[in-house]
Amino acid sequence: MTDLLYSEEEEALRSAVRDLLTDRCDPASVIARTESDAPHDIALWKALADGMGLAGLLVPEELDGQGATHREAAVVLEELGRAVAPVPYLTSAVVATEALLECGADDLLTRLASATSIGALAVGLHTAPGAAFPAVRLENGALHGELTGIADAAAADLLLVPADDGGLYAVDSAAVTITPQVSLDLTRPLATVTLAGVPGRRLGDAEPAVRRALRAGAGLLASEQLGLSDWTLTETVRYLKERKQFNRPVGGFQALKHRLAQLWLEIVNLRAAARSAADALATGEDVDVRVAVAQAHAAGVAVHAAEEALQLHAGIGMTWEHPVHLYLKRAKADSIAYGTAGAHRSALAELVDLRAP
């Protein structure tokens, strides 16, 4: 039987990441950064990726990685979700890394693991693991085309681009035009990538690499959504204990207790699903089913948790200075990232042979 409880090593990792984020990623700093021209916190990324070695968790030790598993990466993403940290961890250390692992691009993996490069898979953030994805045109050895909705492209210096010959190409981001798009989630900005006769290095077949990368992204996104949900519940409970109305704490009112208890149950279920998906990715057991189950459940819980936090914080929750809006925007953006809940339910129905009539 699989043990989904956190190990001592995972709890130690959580504590170290949380301490760093507490010091370097407070809500006021994140809000200030979203208002600036530099939404990504590269200094924080360097501290996480280089200082703590977290960029290489999924990379074998012989390639300068940590040789850890998706369970450890999931713990990191829980903490990054709790802080809505504006760093390209999911897109570079998970999604781009998984694509490179499938292609066997050892030199590029070493660059990502050692945090000398940030990678991004040039597939729209909304793309589900089993969905079709656009490819650019390969003509006379050069790449031409436009790809939209690419998460964290602005922070990346290595882009992994699918082409119409079926290959996945490594492209230097300095050779392409990256245009920011209006993004609901200000902490994970999107961009359009335009390639006009750009050279690229063919790494391998795009189809299996992109499928593997998006599956890992979807599975570990559930851990980010778990961390986000857990923060919103914890902060809402803390606020309702302090806020008084009719000379008593607001949290003492029965109706609010019921809403919080319901939310707590939903988050407990999400934790089980997210841990199951991370364990499946680590062990290779029933991966497609367990990832689909996690993503079918995670989006609704995260959005509900953030909406409840916004409502129950009342007037102060509606202000720009309070960070709850960051969590609601991240939850809403995550709800369509790597496939909607509906897309994952449809995939799950196919996997377990429960198709619609």
Side-chain angles (χ1 to χ4, degrees):
M1 182 177 175
T2 301
D3 182 5
L4 298 182
L5 298 176
Y6 299 100
S7 67
E8 287 185 18
E9 291 79 7
E10 288 166 355
E11 289 292 6
L13 175 61
R14 178 196 307 286
S15 179
V17 175
R18 187 175 296 189
D19 286 347
L20 177 65
L21 293 173
T22 300
D23 290 341
R24 304 278 293 271
C25 193
D26 60 283
S29 299
V30 178
I31 293 171
R33 187 163 289 282
T34 64
E35 297 172 324
S36 73
D37 294 330
H40 293 100
D41 191 338
I42 299 302
L44 175 61
W45 166 252
K46 285 289 186 184
L48 288 162
D50 191 20
M52 297 181 70
L54 300 183
L57 280 182
L58 301 179
V59 178
E61 291 182 39
E62 59 269 23
L63 299 177
D64 294 339
Q66 303 299 317
T69 74
H70 299 80
R71 288 177 61 123
E72 287 79 16
V75 169
V76 174
L77 279 162
E78 282 183 39
E79 293 307 310
L80 295 176
R82 284 181 64 89
V84 285
V87 294
Y89 187 84
L90 183 63
T91 46
S92 181
V94 176
V95 176
T97 295
E98 287 281 344
L100 292 176
L101 285 167
E102 182 66 29
C103 293
D106 291 358
D107 58 325
L108 299 181
L109 281 167
T110 299
R111 280 170 54 185
L112 292 196
S114 60
T116 54
S117 290
I118 296 172
L121 179 67
V123 173
L125 181 63
H126 61 282
T127 310
F133 52 88
V136 298
R137 190 173 80 259
L138 179 67
E139 191 174 293
N140 299 325
L143 300 168
H144 304 259
E146 183 176 278
L147 299 163
T148 61
I150 311 304
D152 294 332
D157 43 28
L158 171 67
L159 295 172
L160 306 178
V161 182
D164 59 4
D165 70 333
L168 186 68
Y169 286 79
V171 174
D172 185 345
S173 66
V176 307
T177 302
I178 296 175
T179 309
Q181 291 179 247
V182 177
S183 173
L184 175 64
D185 178 9
L186 302 173
T187 61
R188 182 175 284 144
L190 306 178
T192 296
V193 175
T194 305
L195 302 93
V198 173
R201 166 186 158 197
R202 196 180 198 279
L203 302 174
D205 293 338
E207 185 79 18
V210 171
R211 294 280 171 261
R212 174 173 171 173
L214 295 181
R215 187 176 68 176
L220 293 186
L221 178 66
S223 291
E224 177 185 292
Q225 291 164 304
L226 168 61
L228 183 157
S229 305
D230 195 51
W231 183 93
T232 55
L233 177 62
T234 302
E235 282 301 300
T236 303
V237 170
R238 185 184 63 78
Y239 175 76
L240 293 180
K241 285 180 177 178
E242 295 174 357
R243 176 89 167 112
K244 286 188 167 58
Q245 200 168 35
F246 306 118
N247 208 30
R248 61 181 285 194
V250 175
F253 290 101
Q254 188 91 3
L256 298 191
K257 286 182 178 179
H258 286 170
R259 287 170 68 172
L260 294 169
Q262 176 61 38
L263 193 55
W264 181 82
L265 286 172
E266 291 178 19
I267 294 171
V268 167
N269 290 334
L270 172 54
R271 178 171 283 107
R275 291 296 292 166
S276 177
D279 184 75
L281 287 163
T283 61
E285 296 177 9
D286 294 327
V287 184
D288 291 329
V289 169
R290 290 159 75 181
V291 167
V293 166
Q295 271 309 313
H297 184 60
V301 176
V303 171
H304 182 215
E307 288 175 343
E308 288 286 75
L310 181 69
Q311 288 186 20
L312 296 176
H313 274 84
I316 193 173
M318 295 297 292
T319 64
W320 184 259
E321 291 74 19
H322 195 281
V324 72
H325 65 91
L326 295 175
Y327 290 83
L328 180 57
K329 291 167 184 170
R330 172 67 72 89
K332 292 293 283 186
D334 281 356
S335 71
I336 60 171
Y338 305 117
T340 62
H344 286 284
R345 288 191 190 100
S346 297
L348 181 61
E350 289 285 331
L351 289 166
V352 298
D353 202 23
L354 281 175
R355 298 173 188 84

